[in-house]
Amino acid sequence: MNKQEKYTSLLPQVQAVMDSKADIIANMANMAAMLHETFGFWWTGFYRVINGELVLGPFQGPLACTRIAYGRGVCGTAWKERRTAVVPDVEQFPGHIACSAASRSEIVVPVIRDGEVTAVLDIDSVHLDTFDQTDAEFLNRMVELL
Ligand code: SME
């Protein structure tokens, strides 16, 4: 299966396990797990906006930094600019926060609720140039399920 086919098959599966009554942490945890397993990413997880900063949420992969300030790193930039950040080479991104030296490329998708960024979905790859417009489109549709 190519990337598009994987996302197309994954979306309804994720939708099926999302429960509007479930805790947001429960839904984020399952979404991170399903993405991580399907694509074999290096790190897949969420940071939530809490008291004006991003705080580490449910994730799969190696340990990560726990807090990120507004406008800092790829995550803080996606939050500030309120749009998806696709970074083909993290070494070329000024201010990239290296939680892991193995990470080479990254995508960050803001989760927007009632016009406010409430969290970001962050995915890291050990390969350069992993993410493109296909990932951006499908991941935006996916976080709308939260
Ligand atoms: N690289 C991110 C920090 C989070 S870790 O990759 C999990 C950033 O620059 O915001």
Side-chain angles (χ1 to χ4, degrees):
M1 275 200 278
N2 67 26
K3 183 192 279 194
Q4 188 149 359
E5 289 165 339
K6 283 185 184 173
Y7 278 117
T8 302
S9 128
L10 186 61
L11 258 175
Q13 294 179 51
V14 172
Q15 186 163 25
V17 300
M18 294 293 116
D19 180 346
S20 60
K21 290 195 200 113
D23 188 89
I24 187 79
I25 298 287
N27 283 340
M28 286 176 165
N30 270 338
M31 191 177 285
M34 292 168 90
L35 279 167
H36 199 75
E37 289 244 313
T38 300
F39 290 96
F41 295 131
W42 176 248
W43 196 93
T44 310
F46 291 89
Y47 282 88
R48 296 189 303 145
V49 175
I50 299 174
N51 295 330
E53 61 183 347
L54 289 171
V55 180
L56 184 62
F59 72 94
Q60 300 273 316
L63 68 84
C65 49
T66 49
R67 286 167 198 276
I68 297 174
Y70 184 72
R72 289 279 322 281
V74 186
C75 291
T77 299
W79 175 18
K80 186 176 177 184
E81 296 183 354
R82 305 160 61 85
R83 60 186 164 92
T84 300
V86 175
V87 180
D89 179 354
V90 296
E91 284 179 18
Q92 304 303 317
F93 187 96
H96 168 256
I97 301 165
C99 290
S100 159
S103 176
R104 308 288 300 281
S105 62
E106 181 163 358
I107 186 169
V108 179
V109 178
V111 179
I112 298 176
R113 182 68 51 89
D114 297 329
E116 295 281 312
V117 177
T118 57
V120 299
L121 167 62
D122 178 17
I123 305 180
D124 288 22
S125 165
V126 292
H127 306 290
L128 287 171
D129 206 10
T130 295
F131 306 101
D132 57 22
Q133 204 48 39
T134 299
D135 300 276
E137 272 169 34
F138 278 99
L139 292 171
N140 272 280
R141 284 166 62 183
M142 198 160 293
V143 299
E144 281 174 16
L145 300 174
L146 285 169

